[in-house]
């Protein structure tokens, strides 16, 4: 493999928070980056000679995003990149409420963005790169809430639990292939993002755990998006990446 070729990394939710931090760090280390988000971010800039594309797509329409990805990858020469990685980072928490008080449309949107789109993007990415002959990885950003139930969080917990389990299935699929991708669904820890603001600002009558999230912030227990991105990308670079298809960055 020619070592002067750039690695290719595709990141969903790359316009803000931890996704933005990962995209910035990847660009700084020489990766070609495709950011997929609802909005472009002018703070995300490629260094001189670097490759950056910001696709403004709504992941609630995962099928269209997957087709855009498949078409773009199919148009690339197989020898353009040293490796190919997909990071499914985007997610959304619908208005916080018990399931009985939740809006069906908001529930559907959360599941489309948090579960359906990652599956569709994985399928498109793996199919389009299978003949490239380069190392490939899929990193799905999960959550501890995919492994622990919480009141008023049914949609988010279900999306992340589904992500964990489809990643297990995907790992079995890829293990049967001569050059299968390595895959992992990784919980990134508790990070100081807009999602945390939403959780600790919720009505305690609707969200019994609001005090716990407020205490995490007050006690300085939240990881910055930049530090979280560093830890996640270090995990991605581990030689044993994918050995465990479901993992937690805090288990190091």
């Amino acid at each position: 493999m020619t070592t002067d070729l750039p690695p290719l990394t595709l990141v969903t939710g790359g316009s803000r928070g931890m996704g933005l931090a990962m995209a910035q760090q990847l660009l700084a280390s020489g990766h070609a980056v495709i950011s997929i988000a609802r909005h472009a971010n002018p703070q995300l800039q490629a260094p001189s000679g670097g490759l950056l594309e910001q696709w403004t797509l709504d992941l609630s329409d995962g099928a269209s995003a997957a087709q855009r990805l498949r078409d773009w990858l199919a148009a690339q020469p197989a020898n353009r990149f040293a490796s190919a990685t997909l990071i499914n980072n985007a997610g959304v928490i619908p208005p916080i409420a018990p399931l009985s008080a939740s809006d069906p449309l908001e529930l559907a949107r959360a599941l489309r963005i948090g579960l359906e789109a990652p599956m569709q993007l994985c399928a498109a990415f793996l199919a389009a790169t299978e003949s490239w002959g380069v190392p490939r990885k899929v990193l799905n950003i999960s959550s501890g809430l995919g492994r622990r139930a919480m009141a008023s969080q049914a949609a988010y917990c279900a999306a992340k639990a589904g992500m964990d389990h489809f990643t297990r299935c995907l790992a079995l699929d890829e293990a049967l292939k001569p050059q299968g991708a390595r895959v992992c669904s990784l919980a990134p820890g508790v990070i100081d993002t807009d999602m945390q603001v939403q959780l600790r600002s919720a009505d305690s009558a609707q969200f019994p755990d609001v005090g716990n999230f407020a205490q995490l912030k007050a006690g300085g227990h939240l990881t910055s998006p930049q530090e979280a991105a560093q830890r996640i990308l270090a995990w991605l670079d581990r030689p044993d990446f994918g050995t465990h298809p479901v993992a937690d960055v805090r288990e190091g």
Side-chain angles (χ1 to χ4, degrees), residues 38-87:
R38 288 186 67 187
H39 305 286
N41 189 327
Q43 296 180 19
L44 188 56
Q45 297 285 336
S48 178
L51 170 64
L52 167 67
E53 293 189 20
Q54 296 195 60
W55 297 354
T56 52
L57 301 173
D58 186 348
L59 289 174
S60 65
D61 182 3
S64 294
Q67 189 60 55
R68 169 78 181 272
L69 176 59
R70 186 187 294 264
D71 291 345
W72 187 89
L73 290 168
Q76 306 308 305
N79 60 353
R80 184 179 182 187
F81 301 109
S83 63
T85 299
L86 171 63
I87 302 177

Side-chain angles (χ1 to χ4, degrees), residues 132-198:
W132 282 16
V134 300
R136 296 173 302 142
K137 298 178 183 178
V138 172
L139 173 59
N140 290 325
I141 302 299
S142 184
S143 170
L145 292 186
R147 302 155 201 182
R148 178 171 66 90
M150 182 170 286
S152 298
Q153 288 295 308
Y156 187 77
C157 288
K160 294 304 184 181
M163 174 177 275
D164 285 349
H165 211 48
F166 95 70
T167 304
R168 292 184 180 100
C169 296
L170 182 57
L172 295 173
D173 290 343
E174 295 300 302
L176 298 174
K177 300 176 182 178
Q179 292 183 301
R182 291 187 285 163
V183 303
C184 180
S185 186
L186 182 68
V190 188
I191 305 158
D192 198 2
T193 62
D194 292 344
M195 194 172 289
Q196 282 289 319
V197 175
Q198 183 181 358

